[in-house]
Amino acid sequence: MKLSAYRFDLPSELIALYPAENRDDARLMVVHRDTGKIEHRTFRDIVDYFEEGDLMVVNNTKVFPARLYGYKEKTGADIEVFLLRELKKESHLWDAMVDPARKIRVGNKLFFGDGELVGEVIDNTTNRGRTIRFLWDGEEEEFYATVKRLGNPPLPEPIYSRRKAEPIDEERFQTIFAEVEGAIAPPAAGLHFTKQVVKRLAIKGVDIKPITMHISLGSFRDVEVEDLTKHRTDSEQYAIPEETAEAVNQALEAKRRVCAVDISTLRTLETSVSASNRLKASEGWTDKFIFPRYDFKIANALLVNFELPEATALMSACAFGGYDLIMEAYQEAIKEGYRFFIYGDAMLIL
């Protein structure tokens, strides 16, 4: 399969810049792999497609407020720092992206807030990448509290190119399942769940179990090769609890639905498979890239958001639902005015 197979014309107005007024107001397209039938519903209707004994697996990663605005020493020039991951906890060393990169050099001191947080650039890693050491001699908890207070939700392109983070994003750029901090973006398909939807699922006897996968900037990185077999993804940290593995395997034995909520969850489940095609409890790092054709071992249902052209998440959805059917569904979504990307609408593939 080639990269060009995932190009399509997407009107810019269909890229959702804001979430739906209520999480479960989002639209839901239901795609049936066995018949090719496509239904148009509202997300809260998802309950209708699951029965007692079915299982949903969600990603409980929590988005870190990774975007900091500050200024340079001496010049006072405005700068932006996007924290990617902590490299060394004891010395507050971070891998980051900076803007404007040409003005931020090794040795520069960067100030945030009223100077209450100071960072020093100690290395260039890529064109825009820098290693930053935060100069902090207080308590560790106070350091993280300060970073969180000064940080902003890291809205991705193309949203960020059209607006900066607003108060609404502090709540809505997290799922209701968010517990384990470490992601730079939420598992988009999980954003539509509300406590009411979860309660209705529980009443029907549908269980929900978590995995953790910290979504990194690599999930949004452009694919730069036409031959998808040559694309390499960044490694992302994951954890599958024993309780989740047991629940998944029991559901599989009972021939019930196991629905992966989001591509991040799908990748995690497919990372840790036993020789008998059952899920193993484990933790570590995964660079699994799923694209057609792929033989799925764990999930037999998938909930995803509508993705941008050439996105790796779209390729994974096509691997699960079948290329022709999913691309047909995408054309239907464009025709029907579905909203795309992180704050957009959802697709349930059965």
Side-chain angles (χ1 to χ4, degrees), residues 65-93:
R67 185 172 269 122
L68 293 166
Y69 300 108
Y71 56 95
K72 279 179 62 178
E73 64 175 340
K74 297 179 182 177
T75 66
D78 291 338
I79 54 97
E80 178 185 313
V81 171
F82 192 132
L83 300 176
L84 298 177
R85 62 191 179 102
E86 191 173 33
L87 300 173
K88 206 169 185 180
K89 199 179 189 75
E90 57 271 21
S91 54
H92 304 300
L93 204 64

Side-chain angles (χ1 to χ4, degrees), residues 49-348:
Y49 295 91
F50 292 86
E51 301 294 339
E52 182 176 358
D54 290 343
L55 176 68
M56 287 187 170
V57 185
V58 300
N59 185 355
N60 68 0
T61 189
K62 188 174 184 180
V63 179
F64 184 75
R67 185 172 269 122
L68 293 166
Y69 300 108
Y71 56 95
K72 279 179 62 178
E73 64 175 340
K74 297 179 182 177
T75 66
D78 291 338
I79 54 97
E80 178 185 313
V81 171
F82 192 132
L83 300 176
L84 298 177
R85 62 191 179 102
E86 191 173 33
L87 300 173
K88 206 169 185 180
K89 199 179 189 75
E90 57 271 21
S91 54
H92 304 300
L93 204 64
W94 286 75
D95 184 22
M97 291 180 65
V98 298
D99 191 43
R102 57 188 168 79
K103 293 185 177 180
I104 301 176
R105 301 183 176 92
V106 173
N108 286 161
K109 284 189 171 62
L110 313 176
F111 295 82
F112 306 93
D114 295 322
E116 58 208 289
L117 186 64
V118 181
E120 181 179 10
V121 181
I122 66 169
D123 193 16
N124 291 341
T125 54
T126 62
N127 183 36
R128 291 182 58 203
R130 301 290 186 274
T131 301
I132 296 175
R133 177 190 292 120
F134 287 100
L135 309 178
W136 186 270
D137 58 6
E139 294 293 328
E140 194 172 89
E141 289 183 3
E142 292 179 11
F143 168 75
Y144 293 109
T146 301
V147 172
K148 289 178 185 178
R149 178 166 51 82
L150 297 176
N152 295 268
L155 299 178
E157 297 289 347
I159 297 175
Y160 186 63
S161 62
R162 295 160 74 179
R163 74 170 181 90
K164 289 189 175 182
E166 300 175 17
I168 188 176
D169 300 304
E170 293 181 13
E171 176 199 0
R172 297 297 297 278
F173 205 61
Q174 303 275 17
T175 72
I176 65 169
F177 308 111
E179 290 183 355
V180 186
E181 198 164 64
I184 60 93
L191 290 174
H192 311 295
F193 285 85
T194 61
K195 291 181 179 178
Q196 290 77 16
V197 168
V198 169
K199 184 175 181 179
R200 290 173 58 213
L201 286 167
I203 290 172
K204 289 192 75 171
V206 179
D207 200 4
I208 297 178
K209 293 296 183 187
I211 55 88
T212 302
M213 201 244 240
H214 294 316
I215 298 166
S216 73
L217 203 61
S219 290
F220 301 94
R221 203 178 303 284
D222 291 340
V223 178
E224 297 178 341
V225 291
E226 177 67 6
D227 182 354
L228 297 184
T229 63
K230 296 180 180 179
H231 176 65
R232 296 293 177 264
T233 62
D234 294 354
S235 290
E236 293 166 306
Q237 192 173 13
Y238 79 91
I240 302 171
E242 185 69 46
E243 183 179 353
T244 297
E246 290 178 0
V248 166
N249 294 332
Q250 288 172 6
L252 291 176
E253 292 292 342
K255 301 189 183 307
R256 305 305 307 176
R257 277 196 173 134
V258 175
C259 180
V261 177
D262 196 67
I263 295 298
S264 60
T265 302
L266 183 71
R267 290 176 57 214
T268 301
L269 295 178
E270 293 297 318
T271 291
S272 188
V273 181
S274 71
S276 58
N277 290 338
R278 291 296 180 257
L279 185 64
K280 298 185 295 184
S282 65
E283 58 183 61
W285 295 79
T286 181
D287 61 356
K288 181 171 282 294
F289 172 38
I290 297 174
F291 60 97
R293 299 179 176 179
Y294 183 88
D295 182 18
F296 290 90
K297 304 297 194 302
I298 304 298
N300 51 39
L302 175 64
L303 181 69
V304 291
N305 268 32
F306 285 95
E307 295 290 341
L308 303 182
E310 298 185 2
T312 55
L314 167 59
M315 299 168 192
S316 299
C318 286
F320 190 88
Y323 174 82
D324 291 337
L325 179 57
I326 297 305
M327 296 306 287
E328 175 191 342
Y330 264 60
Q331 290 305 311
E332 177 104 354
I334 292 170
K335 177 184 173 183
E336 295 294 328
Y338 276 74
R339 288 154 36 99
F340 282 65
F341 203 40
I342 281 180
Y343 277 151
D345 295 317
M347 172 191 287
L348 176 63

